[in-house]
Amino acid sequence: VNEEDGHIAILNGMIELTGEEGSLRFGKSMTQENSLTLEGTLPVTKQIKSIELIFSDGKIETRSIAGSALTWNCKYQGDPLKDYVSQKKMTATIHFETADGVQCKIGIPKKIPVKITGTNGNIEIKKPNGPIKVELENGKVGFTSDESLAYKFDVKVANGASDEFESSKGSHPI
């Protein structure tokens, strides 16, 4: 307990209450009524052949969308992000490495390859219409297929468990 700045730590710092109104910390997660929001659209042109999303901790939900623009609606804790979208060669990258507790809904144009890289996360892939590669150190990946499409799965788990995914026998699987 630090009465000067109104800081209380419980269970060896796993739960922290600060003097800041609406602030409560559980381990590395932070809930605050003042979370920051980022919404954006990036036209996918001939100069962009793939998308990459990099984050530390959070929950990401992807789904295929009509149109030719990548869209995102994200909430996070931390300092405002500047220059969080970059393009190198033909890959557009969204950087959330420095944000805490990222929660994003990402709309991906059809047939655009996507790579999602994170440390701790929960990734929900809903009805993809293009190749998606997910690399997580810890977490869970959920998948909902589009029954009209054929998929090829290549699942590798270093530690933990995985459901069985059977690749489609159709021509040209995603």
Side-chain angles (χ1 to χ4, degrees), residues 6 96 111 139 153 170:
F96 284 117
K111 302 187 184 205
F153 296 99

Side-chain angles (χ1 to χ4, degrees), residues 120-154:
N120 300 301
N122 181 347
I123 311 295
E124 290 293 326
I125 301 169
K126 296 186 176 181
K127 299 184 178 185
N129 194 317
I132 294 185
K133 180 176 185 175
V134 177
E135 294 180 356
L136 280 177
E137 289 184 30
N138 300 297
K140 176 184 173 187
V141 178
F143 182 86
T144 304
S145 65
D146 180 333
E147 298 299 323
S148 68
L149 298 174
Y151 295 102
K152 177 184 177 212
F153 296 99
D154 183 13

Side-chain angles (χ1 to χ4, degrees), residues 38-81:
L38 283 175
E39 293 180 311
T41 301
L42 178 68
V44 177
T45 63
K46 292 179 182 178
Q47 289 78 30
I48 298 175
K49 298 291 183 195
S50 65
I51 307 288
E52 185 171 12
L53 174 67
I54 305 171
F55 73 102
S56 247
D57 302 296
K59 180 177 181 179
I60 310 293
E61 178 184 305
T62 71
R63 74 175 57 241
S64 288
I65 58 171
S68 60
L70 174 73
T71 63
W72 60 92
N73 183 332
C74 304
K75 292 184 180 193
Y76 68 97
Q77 303 295 323
D79 295 328
L81 297 176

Side-chain angles (χ1 to χ4, degrees), residues 92-105:
T93 305
I94 300 176
H95 299 272
F96 284 117
E97 300 99 309
T98 60
D100 292 325
V102 173
Q103 293 183 21
C104 287
K105 291 187 178 190

Side-chain angles (χ1 to χ4, degrees), residues 29-41:
S29 303
M30 188 154 204
T31 60
Q32 255 183 359
E33 54 189 50
N34 297 327
S35 65
L36 300 172
T37 300
L38 283 175
E39 293 180 311
T41 301

